[in-house]
Amino acid sequence: YSGSEGEEALHAIRQAIGPDIRLMLDFGCPEYLTGGWNVKDAIRVARLLDKYDIFFLEEPLNPYDVEGFAALTRESPVKIATGESLTTVRDFQAFIERRAFDVAQPDAQQMGITQFQRVAQTSEEAGIPCVPHCPWTVMAVAAHLNVLATNRNGIMIEYPAFASFEVGSAVQTRVDAMHNRVVETPLSLIDGYLQLPESPGLGLGNYVLEAVAELNALYNY
């Protein structure tokens, strides 16, 4: 809310990155599950965020609240994004028909590549951008990258910001294993753009068993 510590931090972030960098804000649970948060609250926050040039506000309501998202999207000056918890094209169709979001966020790891492709196509037909949700491994990122290469509405893709991790931290070790060492041919990132693989399948080659074992240990599998 206005004058809060969170707003001060947001102001500092916008000042630091300048006006030419897209800034997205992920609201996330469990706030909307507590019962003390509603559509009016989300609309008030969205209006507050407008002055910081937020590119989109992600999942500020219960992910299955189609009517709530429709009301929010209609009133918000900031684009509204959601979809990471939806698992079928039918789930997305309800949001698309009601214009209940501005940005679709399907996730191939949650729904599979076939359903992901159908959501991307359906969103494209409705003129809605597709920015997939993906805090996962390079396999999911590659699936999204390959599918979005066949659609015009794939404007961005979620990918970890390696520069934000402390060198030598457990987070850096985990993310590096997930994206760079678990496959023979990691994705190439050049000037902020992931390069489309040219080799067969997802373009990643085979798994590197040592990195798989390390990931299993990190996640206590």
Side-chain angles (χ1 to χ4, degrees), residues 148-163:
L148 291 185
T150 69
N151 295 82
R152 297 180 179 179
N153 62 332
I155 59 173
M156 291 190 302
I157 189 168
E158 185 172 1
Y159 193 71
F162 290 101

Side-chain angles (χ1 to χ4, degrees), residues 65-153:
D65 184 3
V66 179
E67 294 305 315
F69 267 102
L72 173 60
T73 302
R74 187 168 55 249
E75 297 293 330
S76 173
V78 174
K79 292 184 181 68
I80 300 300
T82 194
E84 67 180 67
S85 299
L86 308 181
T87 56
T88 69
V89 68
R90 182 177 297 177
D91 292 336
F92 276 90
Q93 192 66 51
F95 280 80
I96 292 170
E97 289 176 354
R98 294 284 288 112
R99 285 286 169 174
F101 53 30
D102 300 298
V103 179
Q105 293 187 295
D107 184 333
Q109 182 153 311
Q110 307 271 70
M111 60 175 22
I113 292 177
T114 299
Q115 286 288 307
F116 176 83
Q117 168 67 357
R118 290 174 180 169
V119 171
Q121 288 181 331
T122 304
S123 301
E124 181 182 31
E125 291 166 1
I128 295 173
C130 180
V131 180
H133 168 262
C134 190
W136 318 119
T137 66
V138 67
M139 284 75 79
V141 175
H144 293 157
L145 183 61
N146 278 279
V147 169
L148 291 185
T150 69
N151 295 82
R152 297 180 179 179
N153 62 332

Side-chain angles (χ1 to χ4, degrees), residues 128-214:
I128 295 173
C130 180
V131 180
H133 168 262
C134 190
W136 318 119
T137 66
V138 67
M139 284 75 79
V141 175
H144 293 157
L145 183 61
N146 278 279
V147 169
L148 291 185
T150 69
N151 295 82
R152 297 180 179 179
N153 62 332
I155 59 173
M156 291 190 302
I157 189 168
E158 185 172 1
Y159 193 71
F162 290 101
S164 68
F165 302 149
E166 183 180 347
V167 175
S169 67
V171 175
Q172 185 193 41
T173 299
R174 182 172 65 250
V175 173
D176 185 44
M178 289 169 61
H179 287 272
N180 294 328
R181 294 188 287 111
V182 75
V183 291
E184 287 181 322
T185 311
L187 294 174
S188 176
L189 182 69
I190 300 176
D191 295 331
Y193 290 89
L194 284 169
Q195 307 304 299
L196 187 65
E198 296 182 358
S199 52
L202 294 179
L204 303 174
N206 296 319
Y207 290 115
V208 176
L209 296 181
E210 291 85 353
V212 173
E214 182 179 348

Side-chain angles (χ1 to χ4, degrees), residues 174 211-221:
R174 182 172 65 250
V212 173
E214 182 179 348
L215 280 173
N216 287 338
L218 287 169
Y219 284 104
N220 297 317
Y221 289 157

